[in-house]
Amino acid sequence: MPGGTGMAETTSQDPRIHGALMMPFANVRHLSYAEQLEATRLAGFGQLSMHPHQARAELERRTAKEMLEMAADAGVELTRLDPLSNWNPLWLPTNMDAQYVRDFDIPASQFFEICEALQIRYASVNATFAAGVYTHDEVVEHFAAVARRGAESGVILDLENMPMWGVRTVRDAWSIVADSGDADAGIVFDTLHYVRSGSTPEMLREVPGERIHVVQLNDGPLSLPPGVTLETNCFERDWPGEGEFPLVELLQILAEKDALRQVNPEIFSPTNDGRSPAEIARLSRESLQRTLADAGVA
């Protein structure tokens, strides 16, 4: 996938992958907005997700029109704002430090204002509350309410399962979305959270393919090394193809379900800090190309 300047060049040719590949904010958050767009373009990807705090800060420096023009000039669409955590009263995580809370604390009203300004249609929702603080029905009620608020701004919400908090497995996430009654909402599928939560192929197959709106690929050991916690491991990921995760099997299931949308290699590794746009582009492109080819979907 050579770098290009037009959307036609950044869209996968495999019919099982819908639309352009995505550069996740996790890979480029250390870069300026202009550099993020450059990394996305050089990778040959056509979509970029943004962190709400960085999007908010950028909107204080330039207008939304200017940001959208810069993206269009790079052949990139701003597709997803990631994540929204403050969507329920007990959202504060009890197992993360104060810096994490600051990084992910943004009122829902501000979050959706950013989506409207930047014409972003998808948002990822993190359930950062502790396990057991809500009943299933209470979580469903909170999710349905925020999904309705998102719809007012033209935004589709996708719930992500995370094993260190209150929505652990793929089945947990889909059951909440399904019971919310929202016909558009979906789930975020992340391979690290799939593996660490003990989710199974059967759970994945239960989710309608059209309700999986983003596929985040990463890798690592099947079992956590001694002394490594779920909280730490969440930010210590390997590039796709560098670990033991069953990525080929998972991609083939997703392809069978016609569920490959907003496909991206999401790596939070601190080793990304200091890497140039060109280096991030190369690592993102090569790891994703390799993994998709191994699964026979690219």
Side-chain angles (χ1 to χ4, degrees), residues 36-243:
Q36 291 180 6
L37 293 172
E38 178 68 358
T40 306
R41 184 190 70 80
L42 289 173
F45 298 172
Q47 301 185 67
L48 172 67
S49 72
M50 294 198 72
H51 187 281
H53 286 198
Q54 192 162 35
R56 181 176 61 187
E58 195 65 29
L59 284 167
E60 293 173 355
R61 289 189 282 268
R62 64 180 88 243
T63 67
K65 182 174 183 290
E66 289 171 334
M67 288 183 66
L68 290 169
E69 287 175 348
M70 290 172 65
D73 288 344
V76 174
E77 180 183 4
L78 305 181
T79 309
R80 177 172 295 272
L81 202 60
D82 181 10
L84 175 62
S85 298
N86 187 358
W87 54 280
N88 61 88
L90 302 177
W91 75 275
L92 282 170
T94 58
N95 54 350
M96 306 300 281
D97 60 23
Q99 182 61 53
Y100 178 93
V101 173
R102 285 193 295 270
D103 279 351
F104 290 87
D105 185 6
I106 184 168
S109 57
Q110 256 187 45
F111 185 95
F112 290 119
E113 286 172 2
I114 293 170
C115 289
E116 290 181 24
L118 296 178
Q119 301 173 24
I120 293 173
R121 294 191 58 243
Y122 292 89
S124 299
V125 175
N126 287 359
T128 51
F129 50 85
V133 302
Y134 289 125
T135 66
H136 172 80
D137 289 346
E138 287 171 335
V139 180
V140 168
E141 182 179 348
H142 288 305
F143 182 81
V146 76
R148 288 193 296 271
R149 173 60 187 87
E152 294 173 6
S153 297
V155 181
I156 295 170
L157 298 192
D158 299 316
L159 183 61
E160 184 168 7
N161 70 290
M162 295 183 170
M164 61 276 202
W165 291 317
V167 180
R168 294 191 66 255
T169 67
V170 168
R171 178 175 287 158
D172 293 338
W174 171 239
S175 67
I176 291 163
V177 172
D179 290 349
S180 75
D182 190 290
D184 297 316
I187 71 165
V188 175
F189 181 77
D190 183 289
T191 53
L192 181 136
H193 298 315
Y194 171 92
V195 170
R196 297 287 176 249
S197 67
S199 292
T200 64
E202 289 70 31
M203 292 182 188
L204 180 56
R205 289 190 174 98
E206 292 170 2
V207 186
E210 69 273 12
R211 304 295 283 275
I212 299 173
H213 292 156
V214 56
V215 173
Q216 298 173 172
L217 301 175
N218 39 66
D219 218 330
L222 282 178
S223 300
L224 285 177
V228 177
T229 65
L230 287 171
E231 292 80 6
T232 301
N233 182 238
C234 185
F235 300 102
E236 294 179 352
R237 307 177 178 201
D238 295 331
W239 293 96
E242 294 183 352

